[in-house]
Amino acid sequence: QDPTVSITQPTDGQTFTTSPITVSGTASDNVALKNVTVRVNGGGWKLACQGSTCTSWSTSVSLVSGSNTIDAKSYDTSDNPSSISTVTVTYNPPQSSSVKFAVIGDYGWAGSNEQSVANLVKNWNPDFIITTGDNNYENGERYQIVTQQQLRYI
């Protein structure tokens, strides 16, 4: 009699946002189990468990973005294979985060050109602004150091 194997986790159709994941299941044989192997997307078989303790097994597998097919197969001590147990899961990796910032040189004076630059920077919706250049004057007050257009965003 051939051995049996079943994947209990993950369940068919499950979606993940992290990888690797844990795959677990059960196996049985009327005499004794030799091992349980697992593969993802038709790749190479990976040993998940070896010996008589394979009645309950688990292993970690890495997923690729999108649909992933996970197969498990067990062998008895006579090297008879089980039927393959299969589940299909989806991996949706999180979107990478980004930081948006602006670098502004000399502010100039509070004229229409500076207002245009300030409006442009505002439309970018930066997370922060870095200022460079000769924006800090020796005896300057706050309104002289940072022009009126930039004060609204700081």
Side-chain angles (χ1 to χ4, degrees):
Q1 182 177 351
D2 291 338
T4 63
V5 68
S6 176
I7 298 172
T8 56
Q9 286 295 321
T11 58
D12 196 47
Q14 196 168 351
T15 298
F16 295 89
T17 56
T18 60
S19 175
I21 63 167
T22 299
V23 178
S24 58
T26 59
S28 65
D29 186 65
N30 64 333
V31 178
L33 290 166
K34 178 180 178 182
N35 61 38
V36 173
T37 56
V38 174
R39 70 179 177 185
V40 178
N41 297 324
W45 290 98
K46 171 186 175 181
L47 187 64
C49 184
Q50 192 167 9
S52 60
T53 60
C54 288
T55 56
S56 179
W57 55 269
S58 70
T59 190
S60 178
V61 298
S62 294
L63 304 176
V64 297
S65 183
S67 181
N68 290 263
T69 301
I70 303 169
D71 297 324
K73 182 168 47 170
S74 65
Y75 290 87
D76 64 17
T77 52
S78 298
D79 281 332
N80 295 312
S82 68
S83 296
I84 295 174
S85 176
T86 301
V87 296
T88 300
V89 299
T90 302
Y91 174 43
N92 292 328
Q95 298 296 322
S96 61
S97 61
S98 62
V99 176
K100 191 184 319 178
F101 65 94
V103 178
I104 300 175
D106 192 344
Y107 294 127
W109 297 99
S112 63
N113 290 334
E114 290 79 12
Q115 180 64 54
S116 296
V117 171
N119 289 336
L120 178 65
V121 171
K122 180 183 179 190
N123 288 335
W124 292 340
N125 194 25
D127 296 309
F128 62 92
I129 299 171
I130 299 172
T131 63
T132 63
D134 59 348
N135 302 310
N136 298 308
Y137 300 98
E138 186 175 322
N139 296 318
E141 297 293 326
R142 181 171 183 232
Y143 70 91
Q144 292 171 321
I145 296 171
V146 179
T147 65
Q148 295 161 356
Q149 284 78 12
Q150 309 329 355
L151 275 175
R152 288 182 277 199
Y153 313 119
I154 296 178

